[in-house]
Amino acid sequence: MNSTDIQLDIEKVETSRIDQVDFSNLQFGKQYADHMMYCDYIDGEWQTPKIVPYGPMEFEPSAKVFHYGQAVFEGMKAFKDDDGQIWLFRPEQNFERINKSSKRMAIPEFPKEHFFASLQALLKLDQDWVKKGQGNSLYIRPFVIATENGVSASESDRYRFMIIGCPAQAYYNKPIKVIFAQDYSRAADGGVGFAKAAGNYGAQFYPTKLAKEKGLDQIIWTDASSHEYLEEAGTMNIFFRIGDKLLTAPTNDRILDGVTRKSIIQLAKDNDVEVIVDKVSVKYIVEAARKGELKEIFGAGTAATVVRVEGFEYDGEYFDLPAIDKPYGTFFKSSLQDIQYNRVEDPHGWTVKAF
Amino acid sequence: MNSTDIQLDIEKVETSRIDQVDFSNLQFGKQYADHMMYCDYIDGEWQTPKIVPYGPMEFEPSAKVFHYGQAVFEGMKAFKDDDGQIWLFRPEQNFERINKSSKRMAIPEFPKEHFFASLQALLKLDQDWVKKGQGNSLYIRPFVIATENGVSASESDRYRFMIIGCPAQAYYNKPIKVIFAQDYSRAADGGVGFAKAAGNYGAQFYPTKLAKEKGLDQIIWTDASSHEYLEEAGTMNIFFRIGDKLLTAPTNDRILDGVTRKSIIQLAKDNDVEVIVDKVSVKYIVEAARKGELKEIFGAGTAATVVRVEGFEYDGEYFDLPAIDKPYGTFFKSSLQDIQYNRVEDPHGWTVKAF
């Protein structure tokens, strides 16, 4: 990223908390880096971004975010290479997507210069929180919340844009079992499924809890109208390998346009793997599983990178997906990580120096 | 309500703010009564409810409510009769519904005794905030938010249940113009539309903003699959009068089971008005409007009570609904208010003394 002329108000911590953190034993999303950024939208304008020590903030109980879920977020990662340089992976994609999400949620878009100047300053201050080594990263969470005090159901006139960071190891460390949704739904046509709107996630917790009670880890959501087409997994997009071909659902107004998803589609093309971006019928996948043609299912997302699905339940039946030799999932995961950790050439210019 | 043995921790304000409020010129949801209740869920248990002066509270930026919209709410009103007695209207309905909403959002249910004991104590303390007179009430907002600090997308292990109150005059003071949704949707089958989940509301702000730019006030949402059936208006259920019959959509997993809606259905029965609870087809309503058979549309909800729709837009065409003599809307509104303000007999036992 280039430095900019954006003014930032910076208040550094007196003493870093980094020594209190056991980086070899991190629980995802539980420890936060020393600093955070916040920037308020007041009287129709985004104010000067402030970088301050991470910590609690005061909100009135009537703040609209508590009542109407007018909130969006993003997930990004910073990686440190063997030389100690910190890299971001396609950060422009996250910046553009948070504004796309904001627009759908009637939240004012955030200025690009504010975003990148703050991110750069934050990563410079908290650079020791980004650890070298495979799987390590600083997970970066930009988010926007409605802060007007008022319990009337209309868009807020005040917002707070924030960035917080937490050191992360691999998000899923083992293959997962999923269930194809038949009753519950994640998003409606004409709804907010394509946005990283806060409410999309909370709405999945109960059906996911029911799935977990059956020994499954995640739900693969289907279209709400017919439950005939597989869409995404709520925190990941989903890929299916049939024979040597890769299949994934097209994005639409119900499905998140994932950065990892589109990077994998590009990597597949680069490596002469045929990718079909088309509706994925449940019936087709179940039949392919029965015939032994379904070789792999894997999820792709920033938090998870790539995670293998070892089996799925559909209509009361469980389908096992035995591990195979040279799975695509592993290949794409290591290809992505090689780029993210600056270990190989980056032909698409995806990685960007943090500062 | 009966007093209970529930322990409450009560800290009273030193000086009431009531003298600073101009009760003849209230903006809905902008002034708050002196006290609020909060009750935390920690280690699998709801703790002792606390009643404290209304004011800001500290939250960590990583609190799950900010990221995943895991939050639900209710809306109720307290009314003061001419003798100064305060009444609640069907409060059990709101209590039951907040737990129904909570369940769908993977939030632990709140104990009935905690709810009613706190509400009673709160209303006793803030009784002067409930003003006599037609249209005046104390709007009561119970809500629950996820307070665990952690940016991983799973249900929280901590929650805060709160009740705040704000003095209110009539919510909508003039008839509204609406548009029948053709592109955007409010809820999916198998989703959370039936719940008062925070994210359901934020998701409507952008389409509503677009409607407002066209000079319309609200959207009447249609089913997400076909947009052929009229469902609800986001903050209100909707009734249509065709000739002398009243028509309203049945509740389902997309539609809120409104307390005002079910009270109006009962009042209609009491007054020999035929009510048809069935799918309301857009085509049927548009044709009825063309033929002059559509006499009224009105919305029904706690905040709005009953609000007249003076016209609707559909498919680029605007349909005017001229005011008629003796509209049902006005009749049901005054019948409801007579009961709410304890001016008439209450045959169904809907009103409950606040303390």
Side-chain angles (χ1 to χ4, degrees), chain A residues 230-231 237-241 245-251 255 261 264-265 275-280 298:
Chain A
L230 294 157
E231 303 209 313
N237 296 107
I238 291 287
F239 287 84
F240 302 85
R241 177 181 172 180
K245 291 176 192 168
L246 210 52
L247 181 59
T248 194
T251 57
I255 302 183
R261 173 188 176 277
I264 286 175
I265 291 172
V275 193
I276 301 161
V277 178
D278 201 359
K279 282 183 161 189
V280 182
F298 58 87

Side-chain angles (χ1 to χ4, degrees), chain A residues 16-303:
Chain A
S16 172
R17 284 178 287 98
I18 199 164
D19 293 338
Q20 301 163 23
V21 177
D22 175 3
F23 282 87
S24 64
N25 190 21
L26 295 168
Q27 198 188 340
F28 182 78
K30 280 293 174 193
Q31 291 85 7
Y32 296 90
D34 283 328
H35 299 88
M36 64 182 181
M37 179 279 253
Y38 75 94
C39 180
D40 285 329
Y41 182 87
I42 301 172
D43 295 335
E45 273 180 51
W46 289 104
Q47 310 294 310
T48 303
K50 294 180 198 302
I51 290 179
V52 297
Y54 177 87
M57 302 183 121
E58 281 197 341
F59 295 93
E60 279 204 27
S62 59
K64 289 203 175 188
V65 63
F66 296 134
H67 302 268
Y68 304 121
Q70 198 189 8
V72 299
F73 71 93
E74 268 301 321
M76 320 167 58
K77 278 181 177 172
F79 303 92
K80 192 172 262 178
D81 70 17
D82 289 340
D83 297 332
Q85 172 65 49
I86 297 173
W87 299 87
L88 289 163
F89 184 72
R90 308 187 79 174
E92 300 249 347
Q93 295 283 331
N94 299 97
F95 169 71
E96 283 166 21
R97 195 171 57 186
I98 200 166
N99 276 344
K100 203 173 155 193
S101 298
S102 285
K103 190 178 172 195
R104 180 60 181 86
M105 294 299 287
I107 296 171
E109 294 177 34
F110 196 63
K112 189 168 184 174
E113 298 71 23
H114 283 43
F115 181 79
F116 283 103
S118 324
L119 194 53
Q120 181 174 5
L122 209 49
L123 285 168
K124 203 164 181 178
L125 279 171
D126 287 339
Q127 56 186 279
D128 293 342
W129 290 81
V130 194
K131 295 294 177 194
K132 288 182 188 176
Q134 181 70 21
N136 293 328
S137 63
L138 186 73
Y139 180 81
I140 299 163
R141 169 59 59 92
F143 63 107
V144 198
I145 54 177
T147 49
E148 182 188 347
N149 300 319
V151 295
S152 61
S154 57
E155 70 263 31
S156 180
D157 63 10
R158 291 198 172 203
Y159 297 90
R160 180 164 289 176
F161 192 108
M162 299 194 67
I163 306 178
I164 59 178
C166 51
Q169 294 170 296
Y171 188 71
Y172 294 103
N173 40 25
K174 60 180 186 62
I176 60 168
K177 296 181 172 72
V178 300
I179 182 166
F180 294 174
Q182 288 185 278
D183 302 311
Y184 290 101
S185 304
R186 180 181 168 275
D189 287 316
V192 300
F194 71 89
K196 282 188 88 77
N200 288 343
Y201 295 79
Q204 295 177 57
F205 295 165
Y206 179 70
T208 304
K209 195 168 80 167
L210 297 181
K212 283 180 179 164
E213 285 167 9
K214 297 173 77 173
L216 305 159
D217 302 291
Q218 295 262 318
I219 296 169
I220 301 192
W221 296 103
T222 50
D223 67 291
S225 303
S226 70
H227 296 295
E228 285 176 18
Y229 298 97
L230 294 157
E231 303 209 313
E232 60 147 292
T235 60
M236 305 184 291
N237 296 107
I238 291 287
F239 287 84
F240 302 85
R241 177 181 172 180
I242 311 281
D244 287 334
K245 291 176 192 168
L246 210 52
L247 181 59
T248 194
T251 57
N252 58 33
D253 63 2
R254 297 183 303 269
I255 302 183
L256 193 80
D257 183 14
V259 179
T260 310
R261 173 188 176 277
K262 68 176 77 170
S263 303
I264 286 175
I265 291 172
Q266 183 60 53
L267 286 175
K269 287 177 183 166
D270 294 351
N271 288 280
D272 296 321
V273 172
E274 190 179 346
V275 193
I276 301 161
V277 178
D278 201 359
K279 282 183 161 189
V280 182
S281 122
V282 171
K283 196 181 268 185
Y284 176 69
I285 295 299
V286 167
E287 276 170 22
R290 287 198 205 285
K291 289 190 223 157
E293 290 166 5
L294 178 66
K295 301 295 180 196
E296 292 176 71
I297 303 178
F298 58 87
T302 294

Side-chain angles (χ1 to χ4, degrees), chain B residues 283-331:
Chain B
K283 198 183 268 183
Y284 176 68
I285 294 300
V286 168
E287 277 169 21
R290 286 197 207 285
K291 288 192 226 159
E293 289 167 4
L294 178 66
K295 301 294 181 196
E296 290 176 70
I297 303 178
F298 58 87
T302 294
T305 315
V306 172
V307 60
R308 189 187 143 221
V309 174
E310 64 177 13
F312 66 89
E313 184 181 309
Y314 175 67
D315 216 8
E317 191 175 351
Y318 183 77
F319 296 83
D320 212 23
L321 286 173
I324 56 168
D325 263 3
K326 297 189 181 169
Y328 283 170
T330 309
F331 172 75

